[in-house]
Amino acid sequence: MQRIEKIIEQIGPLDKEAMKQARERQDFLTKPKGSLGVLEDVSIRVAGITGSPMPEIVDKVIVTMAGDHGTAKRGVSAFPQEVTAQMVYNFIRGGAGINVLARHAGARVVVVDMGVAADLEPGPALVNKKVNHGTKDMTEGPAMTREEAVRSITAGIEVVEEEMEKGADIIGTGDMGIGNTTPSSAITAVFTGRDVRAVTGRGTGVDDAALENKIAVIEESLKVNRPERSDPIDVLAKVGGFEIGGLAGVILAGAKNRVPVVIDGFISGAAALIATGLAPQSKDYLIAAHRSVESGHTIMLEHIGLTPLMDLNMRLGEGTGAALGISITEAAVKILREMATFADAGVSESE
Amino acid sequence: MQRIEKIIEQIGPLDKEAMKQARERQDFLTKPKGSLGVLEDVSIRVAGITGSPMPEIVDKVIVTMAGDHGTAKRGVSAFPQEVTAQMVYNFIRGGAGINVLARHAGARVVVVDMGVAADLEPGPALVNKKVNHGTKDMTEGPAMTREEAVRSITAGIEVVEEEMEKGADIIGTGDMGIGNTTPSSAITAVFTGRDVRAVTGRGTGVDDAALENKIAVIEESLKVNRPERSDPIDVLAKVGGFEIGGLAGVILAGAKNRVPVVIDGFISGAAALIATGLAPQSKDYLIAAHRSVESGHTIMLEHIGLTPLMDLNMRLGEGTGAALGISITEAAVKILREMATFADAGVSESE
């Protein structure tokens, strides 16, 4: 916990002077003022995050964290639990959606075993931070111990610190874990105070009966555990997941290291609820890539205070939305660095 | 006109068999069915456009067409007319927004003089299709002759035919022309039947008084010219622009050559109204990149029957939105080509 507290202390405010300079530069570039809309806003925020009025994004990293869930056996997902491990191998071989979209965005994918139920084959392409072999069934008690919750966040911090040494300029978050929309909905219900039903969707695509069961499972978990909203570690321990805790650590360490953290969909959003619960100022370092189909996603983003860049009707996870969001963020930053000014280009300004 | 009619005759329907195969393949890929949302839809449409169930996008081209407008002297823009020519030089030197975003998307920019009021320096980076030195003031009569309208569309067709020989796999549209939201609003009012006020926005950023003047200019143009909705060439001639006609030709030729045409914002949308007015089946070849801030854009897209990929509060034109849209379209197609199937990856399917 000391490591987490130390990271939180080191998350400072955005650099207002860099933002001011970036905003001024945007107004000198050869375009009507404000005409690149969200791209201008993003470039200014990245200036504030990095402390540079002309930031550069070269090394792009997507951290995709995998974990299993005790509640998966309660019929909350359309897929069997073994798929988590199978998909981790798919990530390593480069055949999954995140691999395709990360290559398209020119980003590296760092695959992390945070708590897959199976023993995965070790290899250079898999970061082993396994906290346990899946969480416990949270309808019967806490998903994990408080110590495991702390360890999962710390593991996420460690992963980012390692990537910072390699030169990461931007970090995307991604997840894999059969059943993990269930804890994510539970976390959303706790932090936003909304009804479980309002924040629970179909995940991988369950039918009406399975959706009702999923809502009942989440309600039961909250009743049994009574997570305390003012104590995000308690929420994570009681109704969370190892990959969710890991991603919360990724967000905190990204903010501490002053790199933009592009968050993916619903599971990354649950991690952001934990992270911003622990360190409200970390919100300023987050860029929400897209609005997920998952019904609770809009509610959680509004609670955090984020507006997503895109709405492409996606709900895959893995960091697929983050990959597209990284590309948009890079485009925004390139506008600031590469466009000619009115003076440079000899173009007349508005009258 | 014969050339245009011949192109229109050759625009066939989408390839239903290729679309069926692409849809089936999407369902075998290692992800919950439908979970990549719009990316899946786009990949299936590109299959239908190209006639290939596994299409590939390598050579990406953005055609940015420039033209001047007689009504510019009526105070409809925040910028002086000389900026059109100045920006063409900025495009050629690579310093404009479109250059930055096209480089980001890995696309070439083809800059075309369709009717800039100045005599531009010839050079290998500028395609000269100048129909005239700017249109006439459409409040006093037709913006151009019917023959010029036909010539502008034909020029757009010629540009695409030249790019197809170089191997273009996808075409984006872009525009430059001080004052060109004015004819675009006029065209939108004609085709949609909506009030001028409802389809007229601030363009480069005019104030309230200038907006009222702009609306009056458009109303006057429509009253003086009485463009005939059932005759798109008449509409183009009376209240259009050379770059708008050129882009209509780009759309028709793209559709005839079975490549996806990614349309940018409001001016490209006006070109799409002309093109789909002439050839309704060309609509299926269009991908709307983004929703522009310009108030009439949503109305025109609904009229054509297109849903934009993104909404990034942009209003620059030049093809900047198209560049981002091309990147999303390429990502969609890569999903289809590069993702592993459940069988390939040894991943269990949903229960």
Side-chain angles (χ1 to χ4, degrees):
Chain A
M1 193 61 205
Q2 271 189 323
R3 175 126 194 220
I4 300 173
E5 282 167 357
K6 202 172 159 199
I7 292 282
I8 292 171
E9 275 169 27
Q10 292 177 73
I11 302 174
L14 297 184
D15 185 328
K16 293 281 183 285
E17 180 55 31
M19 292 175 83
K20 183 169 164 275
Q21 287 180 38
R23 192 174 291 116
E24 282 169 7
R25 183 169 170 83
Q26 281 289 3
D27 288 348
F28 291 138
L29 300 176
T30 45
K31 56 178 171 54
K33 281 187 177 63
S35 62
L36 281 176
V38 172
L39 294 189
E40 298 190 21
D41 300 340
V42 167
S43 75
I44 292 163
R45 194 134 71 86
V46 176
I49 289 171
T50 58
S52 164
M54 294 252 277
E56 190 167 19
I57 293 175
V58 179
D59 187 27
K60 295 158 270 183
V61 182
I62 296 167
V63 180
T64 301
M65 297 189 140
D68 272 311
H69 298 268
T71 44
K73 67 181 171 198
R74 300 289 303 269
V76 291
S77 175
F79 286 84
Q81 188 173 66
E82 69 210 38
V83 167
T84 305
Q86 291 167 347
M87 284 300 297
V88 168
Y89 291 124
N90 198 15
F91 297 156
I92 290 170
R93 283 191 301 259
I98 183 54
N99 302 104
V100 176
L101 296 182
R103 285 195 293 269
H104 181 65
R108 300 186 280 124
V109 181
V110 175
V111 185
V112 184
D113 176 4
M114 285 299 304
V116 179
D119 285 313
L120 300 175
E121 270 174 54
L126 180 63
V127 179
N128 180 6
K129 296 283 181 189
K130 199 191 281 283
V131 179
N132 207 332
H133 288 72
T135 57
K136 294 203 169 63
D137 181 351
M138 63 188 190
T139 60
E140 296 169 355
M144 64 184 89
T145 65
R146 191 173 176 95
E147 190 270 333
E148 286 175 328
V150 169
R151 249 204 296 157
S152 69
I153 297 174
T154 307
I157 292 170
E158 287 166 1
V159 169
V160 167
E161 296 290 356
E162 285 156 25
E163 294 309 319
M164 291 311 301
E165 281 175 25
K166 294 179 199 161
D169 295 309
I170 189 166
I171 291 172
T173 66
D175 71 285
M176 179 69 224
I178 295 303
N180 68 5
T181 56
T182 297
S184 299
S185 289
I187 290 168
T188 307
V190 173
F191 281 106
T192 67
R194 295 290 293 269
D195 278 354
V196 170
R197 185 171 294 274
V199 296
T200 303
R202 292 174 191 273
T204 46
V206 298
D207 63 17
D208 287 354
L211 177 60
E212 289 304 316
N213 170 61
K214 184 176 171 180
I215 291 167
V217 163
I218 295 166
E219 285 172 344
E220 181 71 11
S221 304
L222 295 175
K223 202 175 131 194
V224 166
N225 290 291
R226 306 208 162 274
E228 174 50 51
R229 180 195 312 209
S230 63
D231 179 2
I233 306 274
D234 185 65
V235 180
L236 174 62
K238 286 175 173 169
V239 296
F242 298 127
E243 78 280 41
I244 296 171
L247 291 172
V250 166
I251 290 168
L252 294 174
K256 176 252 178 185
N257 284 290
R258 306 197 73 94
V259 290
V261 181
V262 180
I263 57 170
D264 194 35
F266 193 54
I267 285 77
S268 291
L273 285 171
I274 303 284
T276 55
L278 288 165
Q281 74 275 32
S282 64
K283 176 227 150 186
D284 291 340
Y285 295 81
L286 299 180
I287 294 169
H290 74 119
R291 185 185 308 281
S292 164
V293 173
E294 195 67 15
S295 53
H297 193 228
T298 296
I299 292 168
M300 69 170 48
L301 289 182
E302 281 173 6
H303 180 83
I304 300 170
L306 295 170
T307 305
L309 295 176
M310 285 169 287
D311 185 350
L312 292 169
N313 220 16
M314 286 164 58
R315 56 178 168 86
L316 176 55
E318 301 179 2
T320 48
L324 299 178
I326 284 175
S327 182
I328 297 284
T329 305
E330 188 184 3
V333 164
K334 283 178 175 172
I335 287 291
L336 200 53
R337 286 187 71 82
E338 299 181 18
M339 263 186 81
T341 61
F342 285 103
D344 290 343
V347 173
S348 308
E349 296 198 48
S350 61
E351 286 153 341
Chain B
M1 192 62 203
Q2 273 189 321
R3 176 129 194 217
I4 299 172
E5 281 166 358
K6 203 173 158 199
I7 291 282
I8 291 171
E9 275 170 26
Q10 293 178 74
I11 301 173
L14 297 184
D15 185 328
K16 292 282 185 288
E17 180 56 30
M19 292 176 82
K20 183 169 163 276
Q21 288 180 39
R23 192 174 292 114
E24 282 170 7
R25 183 171 170 81
Q26 280 289 4
D27 288 347
F28 291 138
L29 300 175
T30 45
K31 57 180 171 53
K33 279 186 179 63
S35 62
L36 281 176
V38 172
L39 294 188
E40 297 190 22
D41 301 340
V42 167
S43 76
I44 291 163
R45 194 133 72 87
V46 176
I49 290 170
T50 59
S52 163
M54 295 252 277
E56 190 168 18
I57 293 174
V58 179
D59 187 27
K60 294 159 270 181
V61 182
I62 296 167
V63 180
T64 301
M65 296 188 142
D68 271 312
H69 297 269
T71 43
K73 66 181 172 199
R74 301 288 302 270
V76 292
S77 174
F79 286 84
Q81 188 175 67
E82 69 208 40
V83 167
T84 304
Q86 291 167 347
M87 284 301 296
V88 169
Y89 292 123
N90 198 16
F91 296 156
I92 290 170
R93 283 191 301 259
I98 184 53
N99 302 105
V100 176
L101 296 182
R103 283 196 295 270
H104 181 66
R108 299 186 280 123
V109 181
V110 175
V111 184
V112 185
D113 176 4
M114 284 299 304
V116 178
D119 285 313
L120 300 175
E121 269 174 56
L126 179 64
V127 179
N128 180 6
K129 297 282 182 188
K130 198 191 282 284
V131 178
N132 208 332
H133 288 71
T135 57
K136 296 204 167 63
D137 181 350
M138 63 187 190
T139 60
E140 297 169 354
M144 64 185 88
T145 66
R146 191 173 176 96
E147 190 271 333
E148 285 176 327
V150 169
R151 251 206 293 159
S152 70
I153 297 175
T154 308
I157 292 170
E158 287 166 2
V159 169
V160 167
E161 295 292 355
E162 285 156 26
E163 294 309 319
M164 291 310 301
E165 280 175 27
K166 294 179 201 160
D169 295 309
I170 189 166
I171 291 172
T173 67
D175 71 284
M176 179 68 224
I178 293 304
N180 68 5
T181 58
T182 297
S184 299
S185 289
I187 290 168
T188 307
V190 173
F191 281 107
T192 67
R194 296 287 295 269
D195 279 353
V196 170
R197 185 173 294 277
V199 296
T200 303
R202 292 175 191 272
T204 45
V206 297
D207 63 18
D208 287 353
L211 178 60
E212 289 304 318
N213 169 62
K214 184 176 172 181
I215 290 167
V217 163
I218 296 167
E219 284 172 344
E220 179 73 9
S221 305
L222 295 175
K223 201 174 132 193
V224 166
N225 290 291
R226 304 206 161 276
E228 175 50 50
R229 179 196 312 207
S230 63
D231 180 2
I233 307 275
D234 185 64
V235 179
L236 174 62
K238 287 173 172 169
V239 297
F242 298 127
E243 78 280 43
I244 295 171
L247 292 172
V250 166
I251 290 168
L252 294 174
K256 176 253 178 184
N257 284 291
R258 307 197 72 94
V259 291
V261 181
V262 181
I263 57 171
D264 193 36
F266 193 55
I267 285 76
S268 291
L273 284 171
I274 303 284
T276 57
L278 288 166
Q281 74 275 31
S282 65
K283 176 226 151 188
D284 291 340
Y285 295 81
L286 299 180
I287 293 169
H290 75 119
R291 185 185 306 282
S292 163
V293 173
E294 195 66 17
S295 53
H297 193 229
T298 296
I299 291 167
M300 73 171 42
L301 289 182
E302 280 172 8
H303 180 83
I304 300 171
L306 296 170
T307 306
L309 296 176
M310 286 169 285
D311 186 351
L312 291 169
N313 218 18
M314 286 163 58
R315 55 178 169 87
L316 176 55
E318 302 180 1
T320 47
L324 300 177
I326 284 175
S327 182
I328 297 285
T329 305
E330 188 184 4
V333 164
K334 284 178 175 172
I335 286 292
L336 200 54
R337 287 186 70 84
E338 299 180 18
M339 262 187 81
T341 62
F342 285 104
D344 291 343
V347 173
S348 307
E349 296 198 47
S350 62
E351 286 154 341

